[in-house]
Amino acid sequence: MDADVFDSVLSTVKRFVRDEVIPRESEIEETDDIPAELVKGAAELGLFGYALPEEYGGLGLSIVEDVELAFALGYASPAFRSLFGTNNGIAGQVIVAEGTDEQRARYLPAMASGELLASFALSEPEAGSDAASLLTTAERDGDTYRINGTKRFITNAPRAGLLVVFARTGAPGSGAKGISTFLVEADLPGITVEEHDQKMGQAGSWTADVLFNDVTVPAAARVGEEGQAFRTAMRSLDRGRLHIAAVCVGMADRLLAESVTYAAQREQFGQAIGSFQLIQGMLADSKTEAYAGRTMVRDAAQRFMKGESTTTVAACAKYFCSEMVGRSADRAVQIHGGNGYMRGVPVERMYRDARLFRIYEGTSQIQQIVIARSLLREAR
Ligand SMILES: Cc1cc2nc3c(=O)[nH]c(=O)nc-3n(C[C@H](O)[C@H](O)[C@H](O)COP(=O)(O)OP(=O)(O)OC[C@H]3O[C@@H](n4cnc5c(N)ncnc54)[C@H](O)[C@@H]3O)c2cc1C
């Protein structure tokens, strides 16, 4: 996108986040839902398709632009970002990367406009970090596949019209090489989306189990070659991890802003607590770490744009930034004292919201494994 146009998109989104989303964060938390006006506003800003190609009605942001947008979105309740996160992220990128022209034309315009929400359905009750062990099957029967299995914690599933489903087409135990991807319309007979989960944080963002019982899809619903899906999933996770790392940086900025404001106005011992060096130390640590995270994300995004292999640096960025925002949230609660422990205070909610970032799109331990394996591979 032209730099001036992108600057204008970014400043409009920043304004929307600060003027429209932040004032409604308590409502999002209490109702466990996103107000209709914010959904409409997100659609008008093109947020349901910011990373989808322009020819399909998206904004076509590059990863370098995507992370700048994510810094801005991370500043507000992460449930707002999550609403359109799957369309642009892991679900949308699979269709962009591997979909046929027909599949792209059928789904991407409706996803970009916000009419259609897509979910990425990889995890299962028995297959989380070890996603390649998934048990959902897709059995070929002439011109169709029959899908059976259960998917777990699927973000946006209760609202989704399209499920990007990973299922085993190879023999049982065929591992990563026996998995294929299917574009499954959510209203097909045999699909049950359970009640959405009750989570620790990120109220307003819904996850649910999705059950597939003899769901029949045409062979044309398969994305890419049979058995190649795992590679596709892992590639789309690289970009997804950079985006999540950037969201963490945005949240760290907000936690710091809340902490600085509080430290400047709260008085104890006859002076603002911000004048105490022990409080200053916490503010300085949070600032330093947020700066390190932002720099890391920007560097990794530049490398991704240049076509370098970014699996390691994307894992480094996701690992560092998700752990960093956890530390930042902890300090923010500490700086707020007893108030920081009370419901309704933004840092209390963010403390719970931030916890997820170390778990999904690969836990911290999985990022460590990815990083260390690549170091050892290079050494050999
Ligand atoms: C709110 C939320 C939204 C989600 N959204 C989606 C979604 O949209 N689509 C989707 O497909 N999935 C989604 N997930 C699933 C998510 O990706 C998984 O929860 C995550 O990958 C971890 O899997 P698990 O929960 O089964 O934990 P497990 O894999 O059982 O891990 C448990 C613990 O063991 C550790 N561990 C596992 N293997 C190793 C190892 N080899 N070495 C060291 N430690 C290890 C883990 O790091 C973790 O600490 C979501 C999850 C949540 C909570």
Side-chain angles (χ1 to χ4, degrees):
M1 181 179 277
D2 180 82
D4 289 342
V5 179
F6 179 64
D7 284 348
S8 146
V9 168
L10 189 58
S11 53
T12 309
V13 170
K14 280 184 182 165
R15 248 195 328 274
F16 187 79
V17 161
R18 282 163 212 240
D19 299 346
E20 309 293 336
V21 185
I22 290 180
R24 302 190 75 169
E25 285 179 336
S26 303
E27 184 184 343
I28 294 172
E29 179 74 8
E30 280 155 24
T31 59
D32 189 13
D33 204 355
I34 308 292
E37 298 79 15
L38 296 186
V39 178
K40 188 164 167 274
E44 284 166 2
L45 290 171
L47 292 176
F48 283 90
Y50 64 78
L52 302 179
E54 283 175 277
E55 59 178 308
Y56 296 107
L59 298 183
L61 299 191
S62 69
I63 183 66
V64 168
E65 294 160 337
D66 178 330
V67 298
E68 296 297 326
L69 188 82
F71 294 147
L73 294 169
Y75 205 78
S77 169
F80 176 67
R81 182 218 64 90
S82 179
L83 181 66
F84 42 82
T86 49
N87 270 24
N88 291 289
I90 44 185
Q93 294 307 317
V94 167
I95 305 176
V96 172
E98 296 290 331
T100 60
D101 287 345
E102 202 193 329
Q103 288 168 335
R104 292 194 189 115
R106 185 177 170 109
Y107 297 115
L108 293 180
M111 286 166 66
S113 70
E115 277 162 68
L116 178 69
L117 274 192
S119 282
F120 179 86
L122 176 65
S123 304
E124 298 184 357
E126 304 305 329
S129 298
D130 183 13
S133 69
L134 62 80
L135 298 173
T136 294
T137 54
E139 264 180 80
R140 182 94 192 215
D141 184 5
D143 278 349
T144 62
Y145 285 92
R146 212 171 41 253
I147 302 178
N148 281 287
T150 300
K151 295 292 175 179
R152 177 141 294 173
F153 304 144
I154 305 308
T155 301
N156 285 330
R159 296 166 166 134
L162 181 67
L163 303 160
V164 179
V165 179
F166 290 78
R168 188 163 302 286
T169 43
S174 51
K177 293 206 172 79
I179 299 171
S180 305
T181 322
F182 298 89
L183 302 180
V184 182
E185 295 181 10
D187 57 1
L188 285 179
I191 296 180
T192 308
V193 179
E194 301 277 35
E195 277 293 301
H196 70 83
D197 302 313
Q198 298 298 312
K199 309 192 306 314
M200 174 193 287
Q202 304 213 4
S205 163
W206 296 346
T207 63
D209 277 11
V210 185
L211 281 47
F212 297 85
N213 184 9
D214 280 336
V215 177
T216 304
V217 295
R222 197 188 68 228
V223 188
E225 294 298 309
E226 202 172 271
Q228 295 297 312
F230 205 68
R231 214 170 30 103
T232 312
M234 293 305 112
R235 237 196 338 259
S236 92
L237 278 177
D238 264 10
R239 183 172 174 145
R241 284 171 180 169
L242 282 180
H243 177 84
I244 293 295
V247 171
C248 293
V249 171
M251 186 185 272
D253 288 343
R254 173 75 183 285
L255 285 158
L256 185 60
E258 296 283 343
S259 301
V260 170
T261 304
Y262 192 80
Q265 57 88 22
R266 169 74 176 167
E267 291 191 359
Q268 286 296 281
F269 301 97
Q271 50 193 304
I273 60 168
S275 66
F276 302 133
Q277 289 184 347
L278 292 173
I279 296 286
Q280 290 173 1
M282 286 193 272
L283 295 175
D285 285 355
S286 290
K287 174 68 189 173
T288 305
E289 290 203 287
Y291 176 54
R294 175 179 269 93
T295 306
M296 206 170 181
V297 168
R298 283 182 171 151
D299 174 70
Q302 289 287 353
R303 290 170 189 271
F304 190 102
M305 273 269 281
K306 285 186 206 145
E308 289 180 30
S309 160
T310 47
T311 301
T312 309
V313 289
C316 290
K318 202 270 181 179
Y319 176 43
F320 178 79
C321 294
S322 60
E323 296 277 337
M324 174 277 286
V325 73
R327 291 190 291 273
S328 213
D330 190 70
R331 290 186 205 107
V333 169
Q334 197 65 19
I335 290 166
H336 281 70
N339 281 327
Y341 197 64
M342 296 297 141
R343 286 283 155 106
V345 175
V347 298
E348 181 275 337
R349 175 184 52 75
M350 284 189 270
Y351 180 84
R352 289 181 286 108
D353 288 351
R355 193 62 185 82
L356 177 60
F357 296 127
R358 289 155 64 189
I359 296 172
Y360 73 174
E361 301 215 19
T363 64
S364 287
Q365 290 69 41
I366 294 304
Q367 309 305 331
Q368 287 176 297
I369 290 169
V370 169
I371 298 161
R373 268 196 198 141
S374 90
L375 290 174
L376 294 167
R377 207 178 306 121
E378 278 166 29
R380 279 198 296 271

